[in-house]
């Protein structure tokens, strides 16, 4: 479920980065043609920064969850139990913890 939430956050923050609030300057005679209309507003700058933070954190969470899935080796039918070493268990736990922290940071940045 965490991976689904992280993937949705990556998708939403990526789309929000391209569909900026306020739209773009379209006047032919303007020297700012193609620039965001709200560029000089502090709320717009806060939006861009928090969107970037949310995107990076959620992308990092997705990557970390995939690494966690690659480290974990489930038992395959017909084979003996595959035991993880202490080092692999520590790495698994730290990677999962990192992914969870990044996911919560991403959700916090989106909520602002």
């Amino acid at each position: 479920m965490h991976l689904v939430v992280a993937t949705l956050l990556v998708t939403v923050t990526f789309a929000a980065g391209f569909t900026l609030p306020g739209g773009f300057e379209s006047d032919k005679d303007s020297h700012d043609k193609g620039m965001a209309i709200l560029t000089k507003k502090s709320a717009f700058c806060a939006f861009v920064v928090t969107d970037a933070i949310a995107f990076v954190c959620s992308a990092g969470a997705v990557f970390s969850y995939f690494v966690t899935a690659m480290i974990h080796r489930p038992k395959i039918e017909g084979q003996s139990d595959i035991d993880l070493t202490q080092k692999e268990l520590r790495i698994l736990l730290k990677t999962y913890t990192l992914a969870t922290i990044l996911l919560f940071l991403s959700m916090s940045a989106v909520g602002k």
Side-chain angles (χ1 to χ4, degrees):
M1 185 181 305
H2 286 223
L3 182 59
V4 171
V5 172
T7 305
L8 287 173
L9 282 170
V10 167
T11 306
V12 168
T13 55
F14 184 78
F18 284 105
T19 57
L20 298 174
F24 297 96
E25 184 68 48
S26 61
D27 186 19
K28 293 179 186 177
D29 300 327
S30 175
H31 66 282
D32 289 334
K33 184 174 184 335
M35 296 294 292
I37 292 173
L38 301 174
T39 303
K40 294 179 175 60
K41 303 282 185 184
S42 60
F44 177 77
C45 293
F47 165 77
V48 171
V49 169
T50 56
D51 185 62
I53 290 170
F55 177 76
V56 169
C57 288
S58 55
V62 168
F63 178 74
S64 297
Y65 284 125
F66 277 124
V67 169
T68 301
M70 288 174 32
I71 292 172
H72 177 67
R73 297 174 297 202
K75 179 181 175 183
I76 299 172
E77 189 175 325
Q79 293 183 351
S80 61
D81 286 340
I82 300 173
D83 292 328
L84 297 174
T85 64
Q86 284 297 108
K87 183 178 180 181
E88 289 172 329
L89 283 174
R90 270 196 315 274
I91 292 171
L92 186 66
L93 181 61
K94 286 182 181 182
T95 307
Y96 182 77
T97 303
L98 173 68
T100 305
I101 290 169
L102 287 173
L103 183 60
F104 284 121
L105 286 173
S106 177
M107 288 189 295
S108 298
V110 167
K112 298 290 177 196

